[in-house]
Amino acid sequence: DAGLSKSRNGFGARLNKFLANFRHVDEDFFEDLEDMMIESDVGYDMAMKLSDSLREEVKLQNAKSKQDVSNVIIQKMVELYDEAGENEQTGINFAKSGPTVIMFVGVNGAGKTTTIGKMAARFKKQGKKVLLAAADTFRAGATEQLDVWAKRDGVDIVTGPENGDPAAVVFDGVKKAKEEDYDILFVDTAGRLQNKVNLMNELAKMKRILTREIPDAPHEVLLVLDATTGQNALNQAKLFKESTDVTGIVLTKLDGTARGGIVLAIRNELHLPVKFVGLGEKVDDLQEFNASEFVYGLFK
Ligand code: GDP
C-alpha cells in the first residue's frame, strides 16, 4: 500500500501539519484550512463547501480540542463525498448473465491500457474468463502494448489493423465473448478529444454494436483520469461525460501526486463514483476505492 500512503502523505501530510499547529477554532483556522484544501487539489468549490459545513458543525458540536475538530473534518469529508454522488454503486456492475462488458475511455497517456492490464489480471485470478478488445487502433503501439499485457496476464485478446475501424474490433470482441462464453470483455478505446463530435460518434457507434449483441452492454464505462494533471483531468472528464454515459472513474497515478485531494474535486464536480485507483505501473498497483477508508487514511 506504499502508493496510496504516498498520495495520502501529500494531502494527509498537509492536513496533519495543519492540525499539528492547531490552537483554537477562529476565523484564521477556517481560512488556513481553505488554503490547505485548495493547495491539495480539493477544488475551490469543494473547499468552500467543506469549510462552510465545518463552521456549522464545529459550532453545533461545540468542538474545541484538536481531536474533536479532526473528527468533524473526517465526518464532513465523508458526508460531502457521499452527498455528491448520483450513482452509489461501488465495484463493478456485473451482468446478470453472459459476458460483462467494460469500456475504458480517457485521453492518451491517462493509463487506460495499464488499468485494463491490471484489472484483467485481478479478474483472471478470481477464476474469470477474460477477453480484451484492442479498439484503440489510432495510437501507434497501443495494440502491441495491450497484447503485452494479455500475454503477461494469460488472457485472450482481439485486435485489428492499425488505423482500422475501432468498431470492427469491438464487433469481433463482443461476438467472440458471447460465442465462447467469456465472463468479462474489456474494451480499450482511443481517446481523441481534439474533436468532440468525432469522439461522440465513435463511442456511440461502439456502444450500438455492443448493445446489439448484448442488450444491457456496456455494463460499465470507466473514465480513466491521470490524477497528476489536476484541473486538466477535470476538464477532460467533463467532455467525456458529455460524450458518453460514464459510470465510474479510475483515478491513476495517485502514487505520483502529492495532491490526493483531487478525489474530492472529481466527486464534487462530476458526481461520479471513483471505483478504482492506480498506485503504480505494476500489475498489483490497482485498488478498489473506498471513500471513508481514504479519508480516515489521511489522518493517520
Ligand atoms: P493510455 O494511453 O491511456 O492507454 O495510457 P497507458 O496505459 O499507456 O499509460 C501511460 C503511462 O502511465 C505508462 O507509462 C504507464 O505505465 C503509466 N501509468 C499508468 N497507470 C499508472 C499509475 O497508476 N501509476 C503510475 N506511476 N504510472 C501509471
Side-chain angles (χ1 to χ4, degrees):
D1 196 6
L4 195 55
S5 52
K6 188 171 168 193
S7 121
R8 279 176 188 143
N9 281 348
F11 185 19
R14 279 206 191 91
L15 250 172
N16 289 314
K17 197 169 136 202
F18 172 77
L19 289 168
N21 293 329
F22 177 84
R23 289 208 169 67
H24 49 262
V25 181
D26 57 9
E27 190 45 34
D28 282 349
F29 169 83
F30 288 110
E31 282 174 16
D32 290 347
L33 183 77
E34 287 162 11
D35 290 345
M36 187 273 298
M37 296 272 179
I38 290 168
E39 274 168 34
S40 305
D41 270 355
V42 166
Y44 179 81
D45 186 53
M46 188 59 154
M48 294 307 138
K49 271 190 199 167
L50 253 170
S51 79
D52 285 347
S53 66
L54 287 173
R55 275 172 223 262
E56 270 177 38
E57 196 64 27
V58 161
K59 217 183 267 169
L60 213 67
Q61 296 191 14
N62 196 20
K64 289 206 171 76
S65 70
K66 184 161 87 179
Q67 190 57 50
D68 289 348
V69 171
S70 304
N71 288 342
V72 176
I73 297 177
I74 291 176
Q75 180 196 336
K76 282 295 156 191
M77 271 190 188
V78 175
E79 266 179 38
L80 283 178
Y81 182 91
D82 286 342
E83 274 169 23
E86 287 164 358
N87 180 351
E88 288 318 310
Q89 166 102 29
T90 56
I92 295 294
N93 169 38
F94 286 101
K96 304 260 177 322
S97 65
T100 297
V101 181
I102 308 177
M103 257 174 91
F104 288 78
V105 300
V107 298
N108 285 348
K112 286 185 301 295
T113 312
T114 309
T115 301
I116 293 172
K118 293 171 179 175
M119 224 181 264
R122 164 184 297 239
F123 288 121
K124 167 94 194 293
K125 236 182 247 167
Q126 294 173 5
K128 298 203 190 305
K129 190 174 172 188
V130 176
L131 181 63
L132 313 184
D136 179 359
T137 54
F138 297 106
R139 179 164 71 85
T143 296
E144 288 74 16
Q145 196 191 333
L146 196 64
D147 194 46
V148 169
W149 274 106
K151 291 210 170 72
R152 191 185 296 160
D153 293 345
V155 302
D156 298 325
I157 184 169
V158 171
T159 62
E162 200 169 308
N163 293 319
D165 182 2
V169 181
V170 173
F171 181 74
D172 291 345
V174 71
K175 268 195 95 83
K176 185 176 168 74
K178 243 174 63 169
E179 284 167 11
E180 298 176 32
D181 290 326
Y182 281 85
D183 296 308
I184 305 190
L185 170 66
F186 289 104
V187 180
D188 194 8
T189 67
R192 295 179 304 164
L193 261 192
Q194 294 82 345
N195 185 331
K196 196 175 128 190
V197 176
N198 273 354
L199 176 72
M200 258 189 203
N201 289 341
E202 205 170 283
L203 294 174
K205 188 172 170 190
M206 287 186 193
K207 284 184 83 167
R208 232 173 17 247
I209 286 163
L210 289 171
T211 310
R212 197 165 55 210
E213 297 300 318
I214 302 176
D216 56 345
H219 303 87
E220 293 277 1
V221 179
L222 298 181
L223 172 60
V224 180
L225 296 176
D226 177 343
T228 63
T229 61
Q231 194 60 42
N232 241 337
L234 277 162
N235 292 335
Q236 286 163 18
K238 281 173 195 155
L239 276 171
F240 275 100
K241 213 186 152 190
E242 285 161 20
S243 302
T244 187
D245 301 319
V246 176
T247 58
I249 305 287
V250 178
L251 195 58
T252 63
K253 310 186 199 180
L254 259 186
D255 53 308
T257 176
R259 300 178 298 186
I262 187 85
V263 169
L264 294 175
I266 284 175
R267 178 68 168 181
N268 182 50
E269 292 184 33
L270 304 174
H271 316 294
L272 285 167
V274 176
K275 293 207 169 186
F276 289 89
V277 291
L279 302 166
E281 304 192 76
K282 300 216 179 64
V283 64
D284 290 328
D285 297 332
L286 183 77
Q287 245 176 45
E288 219 166 294
F289 180 75
N290 176 303
S292 48
E293 261 175 39
F294 179 80
V295 171
Y296 278 99
L298 292 171
F299 291 81
K300 274 179 191 151

